Amino acid sequence: MNDCLFCKIIAGEIPSDRVYEDDQVVVFRDINPMADVHLLMVPRAHVAGLNDLDETHDALMAHMLRTLPKLAAAQGLTDGFRTIINTGKGGGQVIFHLHIHLLGGKQLPGFG
Ligand code: 5GP
Ligand code: ZN
């Protein structure tokens, strides 16, 4: 029994505003956007987070990273974009299905 919210979104059991999908990933809009553009990229395979990766995920992770700039361009983010991966409770992770936030639009605030 899989109670993972993002697995349900991937399966289409919970609706989402999907902007991209392929055989390895699904990308949809964050329900609570923190920027003009705020996407979440998730692998179709359930992986809880960065701590759960091993070498079998290397091709998937490379694919995810290499797909991000294409998504940003498709969203009109010609000036740049930000990516965030929260890991564990201490890192602010709330949904324990690995996801990369892609944010952009108006000038994003700096850190610190
Ligand atoms: P985390 O804090 O785990 O890195 O980020 C989880 C993100 O998932 C949050 O930005 C939150 O707004 C988003 N989120 C939570 N529930 C849903 C949902 O049901 N649909 C969508 N599209 N995003 C969600
Ligand atoms: Zn999942």
Side-chain angles (χ1 to χ4, degrees), residues 4-43:
C4 172
L5 176 69
F6 285 175
C7 280
K8 288 180 179 159
I9 285 179
I10 292 162
E13 292 165 17
I14 292 176
S16 69
D17 189 353
R18 219 174 258 221
V19 302
Y20 175 82
E21 63 185 303
D22 62 29
D23 58 328
Q24 296 183 78
V25 301
V26 175
V27 181
F28 50 90
R29 292 191 192 281
D30 196 294
I31 205 167
N32 182 27
M34 306 294 277
D36 294 342
V37 175
H38 186 170
L39 306 181
L40 299 173
M41 171 186 278
V42 302

mmCIF file of all heavy atoms in Angstrom, residues 4-43:
data_model
loop_
_atom_site.group_PDB
_atom_site.id
_atom_site.type_symbol
_atom_site.label_atom_id
_atom_site.label_comp_id
_atom_site.label_asym_id
_atom_site.label_seq_id
_atom_site.Cartn_x
_atom_site.Cartn_y
_atom_site.Cartn_z
ATOM 1 N N CYS A 4 1.991 7.511 -0.711
ATOM 2 C CA CYS A 4 2.770 8.679 -1.101
ATOM 3 C C CYS A 4 1.949 9.603 -2.010
ATOM 4 O O CYS A 4 1.432 9.188 -3.048
ATOM 5 C CB CYS A 4 4.039 8.218 -1.813
ATOM 6 S SG CYS A 4 4.969 9.562 -2.539
ATOM 7 N N LEU A 5 1.860 10.877 -1.605
ATOM 8 C CA LEU A 5 1.080 11.863 -2.361
ATOM 9 C C LEU A 5 1.592 12.004 -3.797
ATOM 10 O O LEU A 5 0.808 12.040 -4.754
ATOM 11 C CB LEU A 5 1.150 13.210 -1.641
ATOM 12 C CG LEU A 5 0.482 14.391 -2.340
ATOM 13 C CD1 LEU A 5 -1.030 14.232 -2.344
ATOM 14 C CD2 LEU A 5 0.870 15.704 -1.694
ATOM 15 N N PHE A 6 2.910 12.093 -3.953
ATOM 16 C CA PHE A 6 3.439 12.304 -5.305
ATOM 17 C C PHE A 6 3.286 11.051 -6.162
ATOM 18 O O PHE A 6 3.076 11.161 -7.367
ATOM 19 C CB PHE A 6 4.893 12.785 -5.248
ATOM 20 C CG PHE A 6 5.032 14.236 -4.828
ATOM 21 C CD1 PHE A 6 6.283 14.809 -4.627
ATOM 22 C CD2 PHE A 6 3.913 15.042 -4.646
ATOM 23 C CE1 PHE A 6 6.403 16.143 -4.244
ATOM 24 C CE2 PHE A 6 4.030 16.375 -4.256
ATOM 25 C CZ PHE A 6 5.283 16.922 -4.058
ATOM 26 N N CYS A 7 3.348 9.857 -5.563
ATOM 27 C CA CYS A 7 3.050 8.650 -6.349
ATOM 28 C C CYS A 7 1.609 8.700 -6.851
ATOM 29 O O CYS A 7 1.323 8.293 -7.986
ATOM 30 C CB CYS A 7 3.280 7.393 -5.524
ATOM 31 S SG CYS A 7 5.013 6.909 -5.407
ATOM 32 N N LYS A 8 0.709 9.218 -6.034
ATOM 33 C CA LYS A 8 -0.701 9.325 -6.451
ATOM 34 C C LYS A 8 -0.861 10.358 -7.557
ATOM 35 O O LYS A 8 -1.667 10.183 -8.474
ATOM 36 C CB LYS A 8 -1.580 9.662 -5.240
ATOM 37 C CG LYS A 8 -1.714 8.485 -4.297
ATOM 38 C CD LYS A 8 -2.575 8.825 -3.098
ATOM 39 C CE LYS A 8 -2.687 7.581 -2.200
ATOM 40 N NZ LYS A 8 -3.057 7.900 -0.840
ATOM 41 N N ILE A 9 -0.119 11.448 -7.471
ATOM 42 C CA ILE A 9 -0.154 12.454 -8.542
ATOM 43 C C ILE A 9 0.397 11.856 -9.835
ATOM 44 O O ILE A 9 -0.174 12.018 -10.917
ATOM 45 C CB ILE A 9 0.626 13.722 -8.117
ATOM 46 C CG1 ILE A 9 -0.218 14.507 -7.095
ATOM 47 C CG2 ILE A 9 0.975 14.588 -9.332
ATOM 48 C CD1 ILE A 9 0.450 15.774 -6.565
ATOM 49 N N ILE A 10 1.494 11.120 -9.731
ATOM 50 C CA ILE A 10 2.091 10.480 -10.909
ATOM 51 C C ILE A 10 1.091 9.509 -11.540
ATOM 52 O O ILE A 10 0.956 9.449 -12.765
ATOM 53 C CB ILE A 10 3.402 9.748 -10.521
ATOM 54 C CG1 ILE A 10 4.467 10.770 -10.131
ATOM 55 C CG2 ILE A 10 3.885 8.841 -11.647
ATOM 56 C CD1 ILE A 10 5.620 10.192 -9.336
ATOM 57 N N ALA A 11 0.378 8.767 -10.704
ATOM 58 C CA ALA A 11 -0.585 7.780 -11.195
ATOM 59 C C ALA A 11 -1.868 8.435 -11.706
ATOM 60 O O ALA A 11 -2.726 7.759 -12.286
ATOM 61 C CB ALA A 11 -0.917 6.794 -10.081
ATOM 62 N N GLY A 12 -2.016 9.740 -11.469
ATOM 63 C CA GLY A 12 -3.225 10.445 -11.898
ATOM 64 C C GLY A 12 -4.386 10.279 -10.940
ATOM 65 O O GLY A 12 -5.519 10.672 -11.244
ATOM 66 N N GLU A 13 -4.128 9.705 -9.771
ATOM 67 C CA GLU A 13 -5.199 9.509 -8.783
ATOM 68 C C GLU A 13 -5.533 10.818 -8.078
ATOM 69 O O GLU A 13 -6.630 10.984 -7.543
ATOM 70 C CB GLU A 13 -4.769 8.466 -7.740
ATOM 71 C CG GLU A 13 -4.644 7.067 -8.330
ATOM 72 C CD GLU A 13 -3.884 6.117 -7.416
ATOM 73 O OE1 GLU A 13 -3.728 6.413 -6.217
ATOM 74 O OE2 GLU A 13 -3.424 5.081 -7.925
ATOM 75 N N ILE A 14 -4.568 11.723 -8.047
ATOM 76 C CA ILE A 14 -4.780 13.072 -7.507
ATOM 77 C C ILE A 14 -4.442 14.040 -8.634
ATOM 78 O O ILE A 14 -3.398 13.890 -9.286
ATOM 79 C CB ILE A 14 -3.890 13.328 -6.270
ATOM 80 C CG1 ILE A 14 -4.368 12.449 -5.108
ATOM 81 C CG2 ILE A 14 -3.896 14.799 -5.879
ATOM 82 C CD1 ILE A 14 -3.514 12.549 -3.866
ATOM 83 N N PRO A 15 -5.335 15.005 -8.915
ATOM 84 C CA PRO A 15 -5.082 15.907 -10.043
ATOM 85 C C PRO A 15 -3.898 16.833 -9.796
ATOM 86 O O PRO A 15 -3.585 17.167 -8.652
ATOM 87 C CB PRO A 15 -6.394 16.706 -10.156
ATOM 88 C CG PRO A 15 -7.112 16.518 -8.875
ATOM 89 C CD PRO A 15 -6.602 15.266 -8.234
ATOM 90 N N SER A 16 -3.255 17.216 -10.881
ATOM 91 C CA SER A 16 -2.169 18.203 -10.802
ATOM 92 C C SER A 16 -2.117 18.927 -12.135
ATOM 93 O O SER A 16 -2.655 18.453 -13.133
ATOM 94 C CB SER A 16 -0.823 17.517 -10.524
ATOM 95 O OG SER A 16 -0.422 16.757 -11.642
ATOM 96 N N ASP A 17 -1.450 20.060 -12.126
ATOM 97 C CA ASP A 17 -1.255 20.845 -13.348
ATOM 98 C C ASP A 17 0.074 20.407 -13.957
ATOM 99 O O ASP A 17 1.125 20.951 -13.649
ATOM 100 C CB ASP A 17 -1.276 22.332 -12.994
ATOM 101 C CG ASP A 17 -1.290 23.212 -14.231
ATOM 102 O OD1 ASP A 17 -1.151 22.674 -15.350
ATOM 103 O OD2 ASP A 17 -1.428 24.433 -14.065
ATOM 104 N N ARG A 18 0.006 19.398 -14.777
ATOM 105 C CA ARG A 18 1.202 18.754 -15.331
ATOM 106 C C ARG A 18 1.738 19.574 -16.493
ATOM 107 O O ARG A 18 0.977 19.937 -17.385
ATOM 108 C CB ARG A 18 0.792 17.369 -15.846
ATOM 109 C CG ARG A 18 1.783 16.273 -15.605
ATOM 110 C CD ARG A 18 1.173 14.945 -16.033
ATOM 111 N NE ARG A 18 0.719 14.187 -14.880
ATOM 112 C CZ ARG A 18 0.884 12.871 -14.734
ATOM 113 N NH1 ARG A 18 1.460 12.167 -15.671
ATOM 114 N NH2 ARG A 18 0.445 12.254 -13.657
ATOM 115 N N VAL A 19 3.019 19.860 -16.505
ATOM 116 C CA VAL A 19 3.587 20.629 -17.614
ATOM 117 C C VAL A 19 4.525 19.809 -18.486
ATOM 118 O O VAL A 19 4.861 20.210 -19.596
ATOM 119 C CB VAL A 19 4.316 21.903 -17.126
ATOM 120 C CG1 VAL A 19 3.364 22.800 -16.348
ATOM 121 C CG2 VAL A 19 5.524 21.562 -16.284
ATOM 122 N N TYR A 20 4.959 18.650 -17.987
ATOM 123 C CA TYR A 20 5.900 17.822 -18.759
ATOM 124 C C TYR A 20 5.888 16.420 -18.175
ATOM 125 O O TYR A 20 5.695 16.233 -16.969
ATOM 126 C CB TYR A 20 7.323 18.391 -18.656
ATOM 127 C CG TYR A 20 8.367 17.528 -19.320
ATOM 128 C CD1 TYR A 20 8.589 17.589 -20.693
ATOM 129 C CD2 TYR A 20 9.126 16.616 -18.572
ATOM 130 C CE1 TYR A 20 9.541 16.779 -21.301
ATOM 131 C CE2 TYR A 20 10.076 15.808 -19.177
ATOM 132 C CZ TYR A 20 10.273 15.890 -20.541
ATOM 133 O OH TYR A 20 11.194 15.078 -21.136
ATOM 134 N N GLU A 21 6.095 15.431 -19.042
ATOM 135 C CA GLU A 21 6.336 14.071 -18.555
ATOM 136 C C GLU A 21 7.090 13.292 -19.604
ATOM 137 O O GLU A 21 6.995 13.570 -20.805
ATOM 138 C CB GLU A 21 5.022 13.365 -18.203
ATOM 139 C CG GLU A 21 4.073 13.154 -19.350
ATOM 140 C CD GLU A 21 2.761 12.560 -18.855
ATOM 141 O OE1 GLU A 21 2.783 11.488 -18.233
ATOM 142 O OE2 GLU A 21 1.710 13.189 -19.102
ATOM 143 N N ASP A 22 7.870 12.337 -19.151
ATOM 144 C CA ASP A 22 8.503 11.380 -20.057
ATOM 145 C C ASP A 22 8.552 10.040 -19.338
ATOM 146 O O ASP A 22 7.855 9.850 -18.330
ATOM 147 C CB ASP A 22 9.872 11.898 -20.551
ATOM 148 C CG ASP A 22 10.873 12.105 -19.424
ATOM 149 O OD1 ASP A 22 10.790 11.397 -18.385
ATOM 150 O OD2 ASP A 22 11.755 12.972 -19.568
ATOM 151 N N ASP A 23 9.354 9.126 -19.849
ATOM 152 C CA ASP A 23 9.340 7.780 -19.257
ATOM 153 C C ASP A 23 9.949 7.749 -17.859
ATOM 154 O O ASP A 23 9.713 6.807 -17.102
ATOM 155 C CB ASP A 23 10.071 6.789 -20.184
ATOM 156 C CG ASP A 23 11.514 7.201 -20.448
ATOM 157 O OD1 ASP A 23 11.804 8.417 -20.471
ATOM 158 O OD2 ASP A 23 12.357 6.305 -20.612
ATOM 159 N N GLN A 24 10.688 8.793 -17.469
ATOM 160 C CA GLN A 24 11.375 8.767 -16.168
ATOM 161 C C GLN A 24 10.860 9.771 -15.152
ATOM 162 O O GLN A 24 10.981 9.539 -13.945
ATOM 163 C CB GLN A 24 12.875 9.030 -16.383
ATOM 164 C CG GLN A 24 13.555 7.949 -17.209
ATOM 165 C CD GLN A 24 15.038 8.210 -17.333
ATOM 166 O OE1 GLN A 24 15.787 7.939 -16.398
ATOM 167 N NE2 GLN A 24 15.467 8.743 -18.446
ATOM 168 N N VAL A 25 10.320 10.894 -15.630
ATOM 169 C CA VAL A 25 9.913 11.951 -14.700
ATOM 170 C C VAL A 25 8.546 12.528 -15.051
ATOM 171 O O VAL A 25 8.083 12.417 -16.195
ATOM 172 C CB VAL A 25 10.932 13.123 -14.673
ATOM 173 C CG1 VAL A 25 12.306 12.635 -14.257
ATOM 174 C CG2 VAL A 25 10.983 13.842 -16.007
ATOM 175 N N VAL A 26 7.937 13.147 -14.051
ATOM 176 C CA VAL A 26 6.716 13.931 -14.236
ATOM 177 C C VAL A 26 6.988 15.302 -13.607
ATOM 178 O O VAL A 26 7.646 15.397 -12.562
ATOM 179 C CB VAL A 26 5.501 13.253 -13.557
ATOM 180 C CG1 VAL A 26 4.261 14.135 -13.635
ATOM 181 C CG2 VAL A 26 5.234 11.881 -14.183
ATOM 182 N N VAL A 27 6.493 16.353 -14.260
ATOM 183 C CA VAL A 27 6.703 17.717 -13.764
ATOM 184 C C VAL A 27 5.339 18.409 -13.703
ATOM 185 O O VAL A 27 4.577 18.380 -14.672
ATOM 186 C CB VAL A 27 7.643 18.507 -14.695
ATOM 187 C CG1 VAL A 27 7.867 19.912 -14.155
ATOM 188 C CG2 VAL A 27 8.970 17.768 -14.865
ATOM 189 N N PHE A 28 5.053 18.997 -12.549
ATOM 190 C CA PHE A 28 3.763 19.674 -12.369
ATOM 191 C C PHE A 28 3.973 20.922 -11.521
ATOM 192 O O PHE A 28 5.011 21.102 -10.879
ATOM 193 C CB PHE A 28 2.732 18.727 -11.719
ATOM 194 C CG PHE A 28 3.207 18.032 -10.476
ATOM 195 C CD1 PHE A 28 3.023 18.585 -9.228
ATOM 196 C CD2 PHE A 28 3.871 16.807 -10.557
ATOM 197 C CE1 PHE A 28 3.462 17.945 -8.078
ATOM 198 C CE2 PHE A 28 4.330 16.158 -9.411
ATOM 199 C CZ PHE A 28 4.119 16.723 -8.172
ATOM 200 N N ARG A 29 2.953 21.804 -11.541
ATOM 201 C CA ARG A 29 3.067 23.071 -10.801
ATOM 202 C C ARG A 29 2.848 22.841 -9.310
ATOM 203 O O ARG A 29 1.971 22.077 -8.920
ATOM 204 C CB ARG A 29 2.040 24.083 -11.324
ATOM 205 C CG ARG A 29 2.337 24.529 -12.729
ATOM 206 C CD ARG A 29 1.497 25.722 -13.166
ATOM 207 N NE ARG A 29 1.660 25.891 -14.605
ATOM 208 C CZ ARG A 29 2.713 26.471 -15.184
ATOM 209 N NH1 ARG A 29 3.679 26.978 -14.438
ATOM 210 N NH2 ARG A 29 2.799 26.552 -16.495
ATOM 211 N N ASP A 30 3.657 23.516 -8.507
ATOM 212 C CA ASP A 30 3.484 23.455 -7.053
ATOM 213 C C ASP A 30 2.140 24.080 -6.693
ATOM 214 O O ASP A 30 1.767 25.132 -7.226
ATOM 215 C CB ASP A 30 4.631 24.203 -6.353
ATOM 216 C CG ASP A 30 4.723 23.855 -4.876
ATOM 217 O OD1 ASP A 30 3.790 24.206 -4.126
ATOM 218 O OD2 ASP A 30 5.725 23.231 -4.479
ATOM 219 N N ILE A 31 1.425 23.446 -5.784
ATOM 220 C CA ILE A 31 0.090 23.915 -5.401
ATOM 221 C C ILE A 31 0.164 25.232 -4.628
ATOM 222 O O ILE A 31 -0.825 25.971 -4.560
ATOM 223 C CB ILE A 31 -0.622 22.812 -4.568
ATOM 224 C CG1 ILE A 31 -2.130 22.945 -4.648
ATOM 225 C CG2 ILE A 31 -0.137 22.791 -3.127
ATOM 226 C CD1 ILE A 31 -2.882 21.728 -4.130
ATOM 227 N N ASN A 32 1.329 25.528 -4.067
ATOM 228 C CA ASN A 32 1.518 26.745 -3.261
ATOM 229 C C ASN A 32 2.754 27.474 -3.770
ATOM 230 O O ASN A 32 3.808 27.477 -3.121
ATOM 231 C CB ASN A 32 1.664 26.353 -1.784
ATOM 232 C CG ASN A 32 1.824 27.557 -0.892
ATOM 233 O OD1 ASN A 32 1.351 28.648 -1.216
ATOM 234 N ND2 ASN A 32 2.509 27.383 0.239
ATOM 235 N N PRO A 33 2.635 28.100 -4.961
ATOM 236 C CA PRO A 33 3.840 28.618 -5.634
ATOM 237 C C PRO A 33 4.535 29.715 -4.839
ATOM 238 O O PRO A 33 3.897 30.610 -4.304
ATOM 239 C CB PRO A 33 3.301 29.139 -6.971
ATOM 240 C CG PRO A 33 1.830 29.310 -6.790
ATOM 241 C CD PRO A 33 1.410 28.331 -5.736
ATOM 242 N N MET A 34 5.870 29.627 -4.792
ATOM 243 C CA MET A 34 6.693 30.612 -4.097
ATOM 244 C C MET A 34 7.355 31.577 -5.080
ATOM 245 O O MET A 34 8.193 32.387 -4.686
ATOM 246 C CB MET A 34 7.778 29.908 -3.272
ATOM 247 C CG MET A 34 7.236 28.857 -2.314
ATOM 248 S SD MET A 34 6.222 29.548 -1.003
ATOM 249 C CE MET A 34 7.504 30.039 0.140
ATOM 250 N N ALA A 35 6.999 31.468 -6.358
ATOM 251 C CA ALA A 35 7.551 32.349 -7.388
ATOM 252 C C ALA A 35 6.569 32.316 -8.568
ATOM 253 O O ALA A 35 5.630 31.511 -8.574
ATOM 254 C CB ALA A 35 8.929 31.877 -7.824
ATOM 255 N N ASP A 36 6.794 33.202 -9.549
ATOM 256 C CA ASP A 36 5.902 33.230 -10.719
ATOM 257 C C ASP A 36 5.795 31.842 -11.345
ATOM 258 O O ASP A 36 4.714 31.400 -11.721
ATOM 259 C CB ASP A 36 6.445 34.203 -11.774
ATOM 260 C CG ASP A 36 6.421 35.639 -11.292
ATOM 261 O OD1 ASP A 36 5.692 35.920 -10.322
ATOM 262 O OD2 ASP A 36 7.133 36.468 -11.879
ATOM 263 N N VAL A 37 6.942 31.218 -11.497
ATOM 264 C CA VAL A 37 6.984 29.837 -11.974
ATOM 265 C C VAL A 37 7.522 28.984 -10.836
ATOM 266 O O VAL A 37 8.578 29.292 -10.272
ATOM 267 C CB VAL A 37 7.906 29.694 -13.211
ATOM 268 C CG1 VAL A 37 8.038 28.232 -13.619
ATOM 269 C CG2 VAL A 37 7.390 30.543 -14.367
ATOM 270 N N HIS A 38 6.792 27.963 -10.462
ATOM 271 C CA HIS A 38 7.257 27.055 -9.406
ATOM 272 C C HIS A 38 6.810 25.647 -9.785
ATOM 273 O O HIS A 38 5.640 25.284 -9.623
ATOM 274 C CB HIS A 38 6.693 27.461 -8.046
ATOM 275 C CG HIS A 38 7.246 26.664 -6.892
ATOM 276 N ND1 HIS A 38 7.024 26.999 -5.579
ATOM 277 C CD2 HIS A 38 8.013 25.537 -6.854
ATOM 278 C CE1 HIS A 38 7.627 26.126 -4.776
ATOM 279 N NE2 HIS A 38 8.215 25.211 -5.540
ATOM 280 N N LEU A 39 7.756 24.884 -10.319
ATOM 281 C CA LEU A 39 7.469 23.522 -10.761
ATOM 282 C C LEU A 39 8.112 22.522 -9.807
ATOM 283 O O LEU A 39 9.085 22.833 -9.116
ATOM 284 C CB LEU A 39 8.041 23.287 -12.171
ATOM 285 C CG LEU A 39 7.642 24.276 -13.269
ATOM 286 C CD1 LEU A 39 8.303 23.853 -14.590
ATOM 287 C CD2 LEU A 39 6.137 24.367 -13.426
ATOM 288 N N LEU A 40 7.547 21.331 -9.807
ATOM 289 C CA LEU A 40 8.130 20.208 -9.067
ATOM 290 C C LEU A 40 8.413 19.093 -10.050
ATOM 291 O O LEU A 40 7.502 18.661 -10.777
ATOM 292 C CB LEU A 40 7.153 19.708 -7.989
ATOM 293 C CG LEU A 40 6.759 20.716 -6.909
ATOM 294 C CD1 LEU A 40 5.654 20.130 -6.027
ATOM 295 C CD2 LEU A 40 7.953 21.126 -6.066
ATOM 296 N N MET A 41 9.661 18.665 -10.096
ATOM 297 C CA MET A 41 10.043 17.532 -10.945
ATOM 298 C C MET A 41 10.205 16.306 -10.054
ATOM 299 O O MET A 41 10.975 16.344 -9.081
ATOM 300 C CB MET A 41 11.351 17.818 -11.679
ATOM 301 C CG MET A 41 11.890 16.600 -12.398
ATOM 302 S SD MET A 41 13.510 16.909 -13.105
ATOM 303 C CE MET A 41 13.038 17.734 -14.615
ATOM 304 N N VAL A 42 9.487 15.242 -10.376
ATOM 305 C CA VAL A 42 9.561 14.021 -9.563
ATOM 306 C C VAL A 42 9.890 12.826 -10.449
ATOM 307 O O VAL A 42 9.400 12.737 -11.580
ATOM 308 C CB VAL A 42 8.226 13.755 -8.816
ATOM 309 C CG1 VAL A 42 7.871 14.923 -7.921
ATOM 310 C CG2 VAL A 42 7.083 13.482 -9.773
ATOM 311 N N PRO A 43 10.704 11.903 -9.952
ATOM 312 C CA PRO A 43 10.912 10.659 -10.705
ATOM 313 C C PRO A 43 9.661 9.788 -10.615
ATOM 314 O O PRO A 43 8.981 9.791 -9.584
ATOM 315 C CB PRO A 43 12.095 10.001 -9.981
ATOM 316 C CG PRO A 43 12.084 10.563 -8.608
ATOM 317 C CD PRO A 43 11.465 11.939 -8.697
#
